[in-house]
Amino acid sequence: MAAAMVHGGGGGGGGGGGVGKQHHDRSSPGGGGAPQVDTGKYVRYTPEQVEALERVYSECPKPSSLRRQQLIRECPILSNIEPKQIKVWFQNRRCREKQRKEASRLQTVNRKLTAMNKLLMEENDRLQKQVSRLVYENGYMRQQLHNPSVATTDTSCESVVTSGQHHQQQNPAAARPQRDANNPAGLLAIAEETLAEFLSKATGTAVDWVQMVGMKPGPDSIGIIAVSHNCSGVAARACGLVSLEPTKVAEILKDRPSWYRDCRCVDVLHVIPTGNGGTIELIYMQTYAPTTLAAPRDFWTLRYTSGLEDGSLVICERSLTQSTGGPSGPNTPNFVRADVLPSGYLIRPCEGGGSMIHIVDHVDLDAWSVPEVLRPLYESPKILAQKMTIAALRHIRQIAHESSGEMPYGGGRQPAVLRTFSQRLSRGFNDAVNGFPDDGWSPMSSDGAEDVTIAFNSSPNKLVGSHVNSSQLFSAIGGGILCAKASMLLQNVPPALLVRFLREHRSEWADPGVDAYSAAALRASPYAVPGLRAGGFMGSQVILPLAHTLEHEEFLEVIRLEGHSLCHDEVVLSRDMYLLQLCSGVDENAAGACAQLVFAPIDESFADDAPLLPSGFRVIPLDAKADAPSATRTLDLASTLEVGSGGTTRASSDTSGTCNTRSVLTIAFQFSYENHLRESVAAMARQYVRTVVASVQRVAMAIAPSRLGGQIETKHPPGSPEAHTLARWIGRSYRFHTGADLLRTDSQSTDSSLKAMWQHSDSIMCCSLKAAPVFTFANQAGLDMLETTLIALQDISLEKILDDDGRKALCSEFPKIMQQGLAYLPGGVCVSSMGRPVSYEQAVAWKVLSDDDTPHCLAFMFVNWSFV
């Protein structure tokens, strides 16, 4: 009988006998296939017994004692095996399974490390060649500087000083012989040249590459990311590993609209097979403009797909221009023609599966055609790297991760469906920002000011597409879409920080009436065009995560806005409203990354074909960061609200560590309308966008790092006279009611009292003496506990943060607080503004008295709080 020896116990697979070392002191004799049990002896299982045990293991790897006894009763072939022996068999089987999975994982990591090591060795060889060339050029330049006469007469070393690639880019016509590129042979010649130039950039030294900060190679990293330095146009390069086969990778990369969010359309106008098994495609592509202040770009390119002798797959591309020859492409009004310099993808198979990818994107976006202040958008290789190069690599890794089956579904939907929602949100926002006439957009006359642009679309079915159920948005009496948009420049505001704040503190800029109008468009009953409110109360928002990308650079979520009636006539506002929201680019360390917050109202059903009318914000950095603050800086606005001499002195004396950056903010809001209400909706939209712009400017001024001290990590208290007075009242009232000092300071100055309260380890908050108390002030610990800022604090009510037990305790002790001035509340759990539970050991509530001993507010101190 066949048997397999296993250390520590038997767990034989099906098809053969199994042996197991049973740790018992008793033996049971058996003949033939019966198990033999003896101290220190091996037990032999028949194939039938192993098969029966394996069947149970596949259903339940860890059966209970009752299940094991039931197994013995149901399977006669196991009748001679004791339950304890069955237990040992399952223990050994689980151990083997765990070892198998760990071995498989280690083999996968080893393959990744081997491939990454090969990639790093190739990169090291390329860098050594680049260093050698630069050293040679440096020596030649030194020689010219010491011998000026040589520089004026000797031109033989021109190719040494200006690399062959640079010279070729500056004089493309002189580098190529005249040929007829309007036939397949001529196009193949262009394709082969493009292939050679692309490979010289991907694996050679044709471009001086500089590695992007923060992109460290490793088995789980996105790869090696580099950007160009001193070359014509802008270029970015990436090398990485993915667990997909080369043909699948090529298929994904060719589907550019699926991963390049700025791509509006790609039309393959001609496909020409080549004799070597490759294909030549003539492609016309349109891209969106990132802001309302510039025109969109289009490209006319030749794309060449071919295989190499080593089994690699290459997809390379370049623009067809007068200098290259070839057929001329279509010309579309309102688009600026940009050029793709030799670029592409080198996809190499890895041993054991997967692919090694080299990506090069090299473009000339005609930066001179845009206003000077916006040229960094078109001259920054880091922005190109984030939008195209890194985006392509991330998308492939995302698809590979989804294909592995390890990704959980969000909201019961498959990852591909959620990814489609993200693409629709992004594309809808781009359509709104650009407002292309061929999509049906027409401008509306302005009200005299040029700050907000209004456009309308009376044929929205063409815009939303045939696959979307648009009947909810547009009534039978006729209607369309209206968009109000604006762009503005921001100074010293990190895009990621601004978008994070806009996401987490919607009440700072949104109007509940406008949200209700947008939500009502999805329902059968229309809602009247709202008037804007200066300070309308908004219910709290609850963020429900749906999905996120592998590296958390983008996440999709549902926002539930809890409804609250503002008056008896506005019943619609008492209903909860829902938004589908896409947030991206909130990592402050991602150089050149665009930060974006896009949302669209949805109804409770949230169908896959639900119509989406996206609105939102996009913030793009205009130039490189200099001494940017750390990403660990929180969203607190306390230190930015300083007024008076203290804050002014600190701001002026510590400017060395601040960043002087600019960014462009684009805002676009879309609304559906009925034809007879178009003018009313337009007036509302124009005023609403102006209100949002003012709110965002106020927030941007508050969070601008230039107004912070050089030590970002140091949290300073607000420096207004009112804050100093309040700190003194809080400390004096606490001492009056308890006889103990709340603020232990060496000095009696108001500055030291405020600083001591601000840095107190326990959470100290003040709320108004009203029927529905709202918070008016908190120290740094209080802001951290509530996960909010001093600006947003006023939108949080005391009732909202307390649980049922806390509210009952406060109600029972409230008369005591008002009569005696102090009460101690038992420990419990409250919730932050973001919905996170917070535990505390004890809460102290006391009445804060002003200088004339009149009640000013209530103070609360939550002792030893922590997030649960």
Side-chain angles (χ1 to χ4, degrees):
M1 182 181 298
M5 196 70 72
V6 180
H7 292 289
V19 292
K21 187 174 182 180
Q22 308 292 339
H23 303 282
H24 301 291
D25 293 331
R26 52 179 298 188
S27 63
S28 61
Q36 303 293 324
V37 182
D38 196 3
T39 304
K41 297 294 183 68
Y42 285 97
V43 177
R44 193 179 297 272
Y45 294 87
T46 67
E48 291 79 11
Q49 290 172 331
V50 172
E51 184 179 355
L53 292 170
E54 287 286 353
R55 278 198 306 269
V56 176
Y57 180 84
S58 63
E59 298 172 0
C60 179
K62 194 173 183 179
S64 64
S65 176
L66 292 176
R67 180 70 181 92
R68 293 193 299 269
Q69 293 175 6
Q70 180 185 1
L71 173 63
I72 294 175
R73 290 194 301 268
E74 292 176 352
C75 298
I77 60 174
L78 300 177
S79 59
N80 292 332
I81 304 179
E82 294 185 2
K84 192 170 184 179
Q85 294 172 313
I86 298 285
K87 179 180 180 181
V88 172
W89 187 93
F90 277 98
Q91 288 176 342
N92 294 337
R93 183 66 178 84
R94 289 194 300 272
C95 182
R96 288 189 60 192
E97 182 70 17
K98 184 177 180 181
Q99 290 175 342
R100 185 190 64 79
K101 290 181 178 179
E102 180 65 13
S104 176
R105 188 189 68 82
L106 291 175
Q107 287 175 354
T108 301
V109 172
N110 184 62
R111 284 197 301 268
K112 285 184 178 180
L113 290 173
T114 301
M116 182 60 71
N117 182 60
K118 181 180 179 182
L119 189 64
L120 291 174
M121 290 177 65
E122 292 175 353
E123 181 71 4
N124 186 56
D125 291 341
R126 189 193 63 79
L127 290 173
Q128 287 181 347
K129 292 177 183 177
Q130 184 175 343
V131 168
S132 299
R133 180 175 62 81
L134 292 174
V135 169
Y136 192 81
E137 290 178 6
N138 184 56
Y140 178 77
M141 293 301 296
R142 287 175 178 272
Q143 182 183 1
Q144 283 191 320
L145 290 173
H146 286 92
N147 302 284
S149 59
V150 175
T152 59
T153 58
D154 183 7
T155 60
S156 60
C157 294
E158 181 183 2
S159 62
V160 175
V161 179
T162 66
S163 72
Q165 175 66 22
H166 295 175
H167 186 61
Q168 195 174 53
Q169 290 173 358
Q170 295 166 3
N171 301 282
R176 302 186 183 90
Q178 293 297 320
R179 64 198 169 203
D180 180 10
N182 291 304
N183 57 56
L187 291 175
L188 182 58
I190 297 176
E192 293 292 347
E193 278 187 7
T194 305
L195 173 60
E197 291 187 37
F198 158 66
L199 291 177
S200 69
K201 298 175 184 179
T203 61
T205 59
V207 173
D208 292 339
W209 299 111
V210 179
Q211 186 168 328
M212 285 185 68
V213 177
M215 297 294 181
K216 297 181 179 180
D220 296 319
S221 71
I222 188 173
I224 303 171
I225 313 296
V227 293
S228 61
H229 177 67
N230 290 338
C231 77
S232 61
V234 290
R237 172 179 174 268
C239 310
L241 305 173
V242 293
S243 56
L244 293 175
E245 296 305 311
T247 53
K248 180 63 176 177
V249 173
E251 177 187 340
I252 295 172
L253 290 172
K254 282 190 171 184
D255 185 16
R256 192 168 283 160
S258 69
W259 54 266
Y260 182 29
R261 293 291 172 82
D262 281 358
C263 180
R264 186 191 184 208
C265 65
V266 174
D267 295 327
V268 181
L269 302 184
H270 299 284
V271 179
I272 305 168
T274 61
N276 57 6
T279 57
I280 293 175
E281 300 164 290
L282 301 184
I283 296 174
Y284 176 67
M285 181 177 73
Q286 292 180 350
T287 61
Y288 293 105
T291 173
T292 61
L293 303 175
R297 265 53 181 165
D298 64 354
F299 302 83
W300 172 240
T301 62
L302 176 148
R303 185 167 69 189
Y304 180 39
T305 305
S306 179
L308 300 183
E309 293 180 355
D310 62 357
S312 301
L313 192 59
V314 176
I315 306 169
C316 56
E317 189 171 5
R318 82 173 313 150
S319 285
L320 294 177
T321 62
Q322 290 183 349
S323 61
T324 62
S328 57
N331 290 315
T332 306
N334 303 319
F335 280 83
V336 174
R337 180 58 52 87
D339 292 332
V340 175
L341 304 175
S343 306
Y345 316 103
L346 171 62
I347 311 166
R348 301 157 65 181
C350 292
E351 295 181 7
S355 304
M356 184 185 301
I357 310 174
H358 294 255
I359 301 176
V360 172
D361 292 305
H362 194 174
V363 295
D364 183 349
L365 299 174
D366 192 13
W368 293 101
S369 64
V370 300
E372 184 175 358
V373 70
L374 293 179
R375 285 178 193 165
L377 287 180
Y378 300 88
E379 295 176 334
S380 169
K382 293 179 181 178
I383 292 180
L384 175 72
Q386 292 287 352
K387 284 190 172 185
M388 288 192 70
T389 317
I390 298 177
L393 200 52
R394 278 176 172 159
H395 183 73
I396 297 170
R397 296 181 76 233
Q398 184 74 22
I399 298 295
H401 185 59
E402 293 173 4
S403 302
S404 67
E406 299 176 359
M407 191 169 183
Y409 293 178
R413 287 177 166 85
Q414 294 186 0
V417 176
L418 297 174
R419 196 167 58 248
T420 300
F421 276 121
S422 300
Q423 292 168 354
R424 286 177 56 197
L425 283 171
S426 182
R427 185 177 184 84
F429 184 69
N430 275 325
D431 284 328
V433 169
N434 286 261
F436 293 113
D438 58 343
D439 280 335
W441 289 102
S442 301
M444 289 185 69
S445 58
S446 68
D447 60 352
E450 301 295 335
D451 57 334
V452 178
T453 302
I454 302 289
F456 69 94
N457 192 328
S458 56
S459 56
N461 289 324
K462 179 180 178 181
L463 183 66
V464 298
S466 59
H467 63 286
V468 174
N469 179 17
S470 59
S471 59
Q472 293 173 277
L473 281 173
F474 315 111
S475 65
I477 61 176
I481 300 173
L482 186 142
C483 179
K485 50 194 173 184
S487 293
M488 64 181 182
L489 296 174
L490 300 175
Q491 190 78 18
N492 296 344
V493 181
L497 192 63
L498 177 59
V499 166
R500 274 163 49 196
F501 185 88
L502 295 175
R503 170 182 174 262
E504 296 171 6
H505 303 283
R506 185 179 178 84
S507 60
E508 284 297 307
W509 55 267
D511 184 283
V514 175
D515 284 337
Y517 172 80
S518 299
L522 301 175
R523 300 174 182 141
S525 57
Y527 178 53
V529 179
L532 300 182
R533 302 170 181 79
F537 177 73
M538 172 178 285
S540 62
Q541 69 171 8
V542 179
I543 298 177
L544 308 171
L546 270 183
H548 59 77
T549 51
L550 198 57
E551 298 174 20
H552 295 263
E553 78 280 353
E554 179 179 278
F555 36 92
L556 184 70
E557 54 202 9
V558 171
I559 309 300
R560 187 178 78 233
L561 303 176
E562 296 180 350
H564 291 271
S565 297
L566 300 185
C567 65
H568 295 295
D569 296 331
E570 296 180 345
V571 180
V572 69
L573 291 181
S574 64
R575 301 178 60 174
D576 287 351
M577 294 172 283
Y578 296 89
L579 302 172
L580 182 64
Q581 183 166 276
L582 181 70
C583 186
S584 59
V586 292
D587 180 7
E588 285 187 71
N589 287 335
C594 160
Q596 186 168 275
L597 183 71
V598 179
F599 47 86
I602 55 175
D603 61 12
E604 294 86 345
S605 64
F606 188 23
D608 290 349
D609 63 345
L612 299 178
L613 213 55
S615 304
F617 308 87
R618 173 182 292 152
V619 193
I620 312 176
L622 283 176
D623 39 29
K625 297 180 179 180
D627 301 325
S630 170
T632 59
R633 179 158 49 88
T634 61
L635 285 173
D636 74 88
L637 305 184
S639 55
T640 69
L641 301 179
E642 300 179 7
V643 295
S645 59
T648 306
T649 303
R650 182 164 51 249
S652 61
S653 62
D654 293 326
T655 56
S656 59
T658 63
C659 62
N660 296 310
T661 60
R662 296 173 299 168
S663 55
V664 57
L665 167 67
T666 298
I667 301 174
F669 282 84
Q670 295 191 84
F671 306 94
S672 63
Y673 67 85
E674 296 176 354
N675 284 336
H676 67 288
L677 293 175
R678 192 178 77 182
E679 296 300 326
S680 299
V681 175
M684 179 272 294
R686 180 180 283 110
Q687 184 58 40
Y688 182 51
V689 169
R690 286 174 178 159
T691 303
V692 171
V693 166
S695 300
V696 172
Q697 286 176 328
R698 175 173 59 86
V699 170
M701 289 180 62
I703 65 178
S706 60
R707 298 185 61 191
L708 294 173
Q711 300 297 325
I712 296 297
E713 295 78 7
T714 302
K715 310 261 180 101
H716 301 293
S720 65
E722 293 82 1
H724 289 293
T725 301
L726 180 61
R728 181 168 54 83
W729 288 351
I730 292 173
R732 190 189 64 177
S733 299
Y734 185 86
R735 184 169 57 251
F736 174 78
H737 294 304
T738 66
D741 285 329
L742 173 67
L743 310 174
R744 295 180 174 83
T745 60
D746 297 333
S747 171
Q748 297 299 317
S749 68
T750 56
D751 285 346
S752 61
S753 297
L754 177 58
K755 184 176 180 181
M757 186 190 69
W758 184 253
Q759 297 177 349
H760 200 287
S761 60
D762 293 326
S763 169
I764 301 175
M765 311 175 192
C766 295
C767 66
S768 58
L769 286 169
K770 296 180 181 179
V774 295
F775 290 109
T776 57
F777 185 80
N779 68 347
Q780 183 60 58
L783 296 178
D784 291 341
M785 188 185 91
L786 294 180
E787 294 186 291
T788 188
T789 66
L790 281 177
I791 291 179
L793 188 66
Q794 60 187 348
D795 295 329
I796 303 175
S797 65
L798 177 62
E799 184 182 4
K800 277 287 183 183
I801 73 164
L802 296 175
D803 62 359
D804 290 339
D805 293 337
R807 283 191 289 268
K808 291 177 182 177
L810 178 61
C811 289
S812 63
E813 296 289 339
F814 191 77
K816 181 179 179 182
I817 299 173
M818 299 308 296
Q819 293 173 9
Q820 302 180 17
L822 177 74
Y824 292 94
L825 306 178
V829 176
C830 61
V831 293
S832 73
S833 63
M834 304 304 293
R836 281 211 290 173
V838 182
S839 66
Y840 56 92
E841 290 184 4
Q842 185 186 49
V844 184
W846 70 96
K847 187 164 53 175
V848 177
L849 305 176
S850 62
D851 287 332
D852 56 1
D853 290 334
T854 58
H856 176 72
C857 63
L858 288 180
F860 290 86
M861 181 168 65
F862 294 87
V863 181
N864 291 337
W865 65 273
S866 63
F867 288 109
V868 178

